[in-house]
Amino acid sequence: MSGLLAGKRLLVTGVITDASIAFSVAKLAQENGAQVVLTGYGRLSLVERIAKRLPEPAPVIELDVTDPEHLAGLADKVREHVDGLDGLVHSIGFAPQSCLGGGFLDASWEDVSTALHVSTYSYKSLAVAALPLMSPGGSVVGLTFDASQAWPVYDWMGVAKAGLESASRYLALHLGKQGIRSNLVAAGPLRTMAAKSIPGFEQFEDAWAGRAPLGWDLTDQEPAARACLALLSDWFPATTGEIVHVDGGYHAVGA
């Protein structure tokens, strides 16, 4: 076995279609020597179909990151397929429609709390649930969308991502004692299923196409996936609490 992740055992969440960043992460990880286990919820049969499109069909575990029973049983379910984990990929986010598209002032706490639970708190929940399987040198990687500023139509999901970025830093603090890293990849806008659920998403598309110094391909998930692989590998042993921007350089230039 050879490759950047030779011998690594990974749990990858968030694979819904083969256009998702998580699918690209799983594909590249297998191509680089990793064993991959996927999670799915709600559309498990769809995830199982997508899993068969990987270079090696990957097992799929049902996981609702808001369900304490699912989280409590995660380690045992993973052990049915691999004897431990070296890496964990959090690619999970959801917000009710009221929380997106300009409704920031009107969204109810009930809807906002759902967005924060699924998109922010689940990062910690998932890491803690997987912790019994991980040993020093392990890596937790999540996906964000630059939360250093407010974006039109992104609204409460932007707040959730800001919380995710803070949660990753705190996870880095608390898991560092066990030799486990926590980092995020801030990808530019991509035409994923999640993006399609955001009213007015084309505003991001137009902005990135015109301003990213390196240009930006809205349909290419591989650059973000490669960054995830690098952070999952042994090549960043002393990097934690970091956010790696994979956005064509958009974040670095002024309006």
Side-chain angles (χ1 to χ4, degrees):
M1 187 181 297
S2 62
L4 185 66
L5 300 179
K8 298 288 188 185
R9 302 153 298 175
L10 307 180
L11 183 67
V12 179
T13 68
V15 173
I16 299 177
T17 72
D18 53 9
S20 62
I21 298 173
F23 178 87
S24 190
V25 170
K27 178 177 179 291
L28 289 176
Q30 286 187 342
E31 291 173 350
N32 280 272
Q35 287 180 273
V36 174
V37 178
L38 306 179
T39 73
Y41 178 69
R43 300 181 180 182
L44 208 59
S45 60
L46 174 59
V47 179
E48 290 169 343
R49 285 202 304 274
I50 297 299
K52 294 176 182 176
R53 299 180 186 175
L54 292 169
E56 294 289 335
V60 179
I61 294 172
E62 183 177 22
L63 176 65
D64 176 358
V65 289
T66 67
D67 187 328
E69 291 186 6
H70 280 211
L71 292 165
L74 178 64
D76 288 338
K77 287 187 176 182
V78 171
R79 286 192 186 99
E80 294 175 9
H81 306 285
V82 292
D83 58 1
L85 288 176
D86 303 290
L88 174 64
V89 178
H90 179 281
S91 183
I92 298 170
F94 171 77
Q97 282 299 120
S98 67
C99 295
L100 298 161
F104 183 84
L105 297 179
D106 301 317
S108 68
W109 167 242
E110 182 179 10
D111 285 350
V112 170
S113 65
T114 296
L116 295 176
H117 195 175
V118 177
S119 309
T120 307
Y121 186 76
S122 67
Y123 189 68
K124 187 280 299 185
S125 301
L126 186 63
V128 170
L131 198 55
L133 299 164
M134 300 185 76
S135 55
S139 176
V140 182
V141 177
L143 289 159
T144 187
F145 187 75
D146 187 3
S148 63
Q149 56 188 307
W151 298 101
V153 310
Y154 208 47
D155 294 339
W156 284 103
M157 183 56 85
V159 176
K161 290 298 187 182
L164 175 66
E165 293 176 7
S166 183
S168 179
R169 290 188 287 269
Y170 276 97
L171 207 60
L173 172 67
H174 289 284
L175 296 187
K177 303 176 182 67
Q178 300 178 51
I180 297 172
R181 296 165 284 139
S182 172
N183 294 288
L184 300 177
V185 171
L190 293 163
R191 287 177 182 162
T192 61
M193 182 174 289
K196 291 177 182 177
S197 69
I198 302 174
F201 179 76
E202 63 276 0
Q203 294 181 47
F204 295 114
E205 296 183 344
D206 296 341
W208 249 263
R211 282 184 48 205
L214 293 176
W216 185 248
D217 186 341
L218 293 153
T219 62
D220 186 5
Q221 292 79 23
E222 189 167 314
R226 287 189 179 194
C228 291
L229 259 64
L231 292 169
L232 291 165
S233 76
D234 296 328
W235 282 93
F236 284 88
T239 298
T240 193
E242 187 59 85
I243 302 172
V244 178
H245 289 82
V246 183
D247 63 353
Y250 183 97
H251 74 284
V253 298

